[in-house]
Amino acid sequence: MRAADLYRLRRIVDGGHGARIVVDGRACLNFCANDYLGLAGDPRLAAAARGALEQGTGSGAAALVSGYNREHAALEEELADFLRRPRALLFSSGWAANLGVLRALLGREDLLIADELNHASLIDGGRLSGARYVRAAHAQVADFARALEAAPADAGCLRLIATDSVFSMDGDLAPLPALSGLAARHGAALMVDDAHGFGVLGAGGRGALEACGAEADILMTGFGKALGTAGAAIVGSETLIEYLIQRARTWVFSTAPPPALAAATRAALALVRADEGAERRARLRGLIARFRAGAAQLGLPLSDSETAIQPLVLGEAARALAVSRALYERGYWVAAIRPPTVPAGTSRLRITLSAGHAEAEVDGLLAALAAALASP
Ligand SMILES: *Cc1c(COP(=O)(O)O)cnc(C)c1O
């Protein structure tokens, strides 16, 4: 792995998280986090957590035993209300949510049709379920349709389409209205992983489904990205949630998250819903447009993404590492993304923007990129 420039190292961040961080002892502007609204270091979230921490740290047990705290129940209700769906169920991570749902709903006799660029947790959940797994070409609705036509509905069998809403390494959007229509026409179900859309897309911050006016049977909303905390929820029908409470193994057999984390997420959700959330989303959109215009002017190889994820595909892993290091030396932290996270030959800088950045900081990144890319 070392010889192929694929060895991974962790970098130590000191202090809080935000647009400005200290990485391995050097103060940097952070342009690779998923903290799209700049909430991860917000003192109001910390204050909410601190208040709940007065009563203790751990939840003590799984939710079905004694770990289901009032804070968890309130967050579930607020989420369902915000997303205008009947119920929500908290999981300790997006990984746990995706694995738990797919394993609970699908068995050998069922069919899963998944976008080939889906997040690793959807891929592993699908494999673990034992269902027949069809990889559809990225965002190609016709490919999803072919898979459904090749496997007609069978009484008692579930056919599930699963897709990321925003693809995490490319920033492009799934064709959600078309997939939702396709699922409806074929009596199939649609699951959308909105880890990168929740809080940040849609006029109200409800996510990718709101942004494009589509519906899904199963929605995964993560809190570790735009909401700036950690954990996730599955949102859907009464029956879905009740079923998961009986059968989702990553939920049933796992300690409930700390109540203080739910309190922080409730504070984040309140901000996302308030005018401030709309202001932060508008600010982020402005920064994305500014970055794209500046990058186009510099002739940088921009990707086809309108979201806060703006990858610069550089090719070989060694090249991505060298440019990342050159940026770091100029005080910009943009981690290099290499295989197996992305396909071979498409190593990249996964640049992300945040409402926590200033316009001048985006301009500074562009200048640093131009300089770093110019040197061999
Ligand atoms: C981050 C992410 C997850 C996993 O969520 P965690 O809460 O970090 O475990 C799942 N799906 C997608 C698309 C993600 O980007």
Side-chain angles (χ1 to χ4, degrees), residues 92-96 98 119 121 164 166 168 193 195-196 220 222 224-225 231-232:
S92 34
S93 71
W95 253 99
N98 284 342
H119 189 264
S121 54
D164 286 15
V166 178
S168 45
D193 173 340
H196 296 280
M220 197 285 272
K225 277 97 188 201

Side-chain angles (χ1 to χ4, degrees), residues 34 36 91-98 117-122 163-169 193-196 220-225 229-232 309 350:
N34 303 314
Y36 305 123
F91 284 77
S92 34
S93 71
W95 253 99
N98 284 342
L117 294 188
N118 273 356
H119 189 264
S121 54
L122 286 174
T163 186
D164 286 15
S165 58
V166 178
F167 288 87
S168 45
M169 295 302 134
D193 173 340
D194 202 22
H196 296 280
M220 197 285 272
T221 59
F223 308 140
K225 277 97 188 201
T229 62
I309 302 167
R350 177 181 176 271

Side-chain angles (χ1 to χ4, degrees), residues 16-238:
H17 194 278
R20 285 149 219 93
I21 55 173
V22 177
V23 183
D24 275 354
R26 181 188 291 255
C28 288
L29 282 163
N30 182 8
F31 277 100
C32 57
N34 303 314
D35 182 21
Y36 305 123
L37 296 180
L39 293 177
D42 193 292
R44 291 166 292 180
L45 274 56
R50 204 175 299 119
L53 278 172
E54 293 300 330
Q55 297 171 16
T57 311
S59 66
L64 284 177
V65 182
S66 67
Y68 187 49
N69 189 271
R70 177 68 61 195
E71 289 287 350
H72 298 132
L75 175 56
E76 287 178 348
E77 268 174 40
E78 288 159 9
L79 271 173
D81 174 63
F82 178 52
L83 293 168
R84 303 170 180 141
R85 299 303 314 271
R87 295 275 298 275
L89 183 68
L90 301 185
F91 284 77
S92 34
S93 71
W95 253 99
N98 284 342
L99 230 63
V101 168
L102 292 174
R103 173 99 206 263
L105 294 185
L106 297 169
R108 256 179 227 298
E109 61 291 349
D110 300 313
L111 172 69
L112 176 66
I113 310 167
D115 191 290
E116 62 183 340
L117 294 188
N118 273 356
H119 189 264
S121 54
L122 286 174
I123 296 173
D124 285 12
R127 300 260 181 244
L128 188 65
S129 75
R132 198 148 76 75
Y133 191 116
V134 178
R135 275 169 98 226
H138 175 51
Q140 298 301 307
V141 179
D143 218 35
F144 286 87
R146 263 193 296 280
L148 283 171
E149 280 150 18
D154 210 347
C157 292
L158 176 62
R159 297 179 310 155
L160 180 68
I161 293 175
T163 186
D164 286 15
S165 58
V166 178
F167 288 87
S168 45
M169 295 302 134
D170 296 275
D172 60 326
L173 293 163
L176 294 177
L179 288 178
S180 162
L182 182 72
R185 277 197 302 287
H186 286 268
L190 175 65
M191 172 171 181
V192 172
D193 173 340
D194 202 22
H196 296 280
F198 183 57
V200 69
L201 294 182
R206 291 180 181 81
L209 291 166
E210 181 189 31
C212 65
E215 308 235 348
D217 303 284
I218 306 167
L219 173 64
M220 197 285 272
T221 59
F223 308 140
K225 277 97 188 201
L227 268 73
T229 62
I234 294 293
V235 185
S237 70
E238 184 73 32

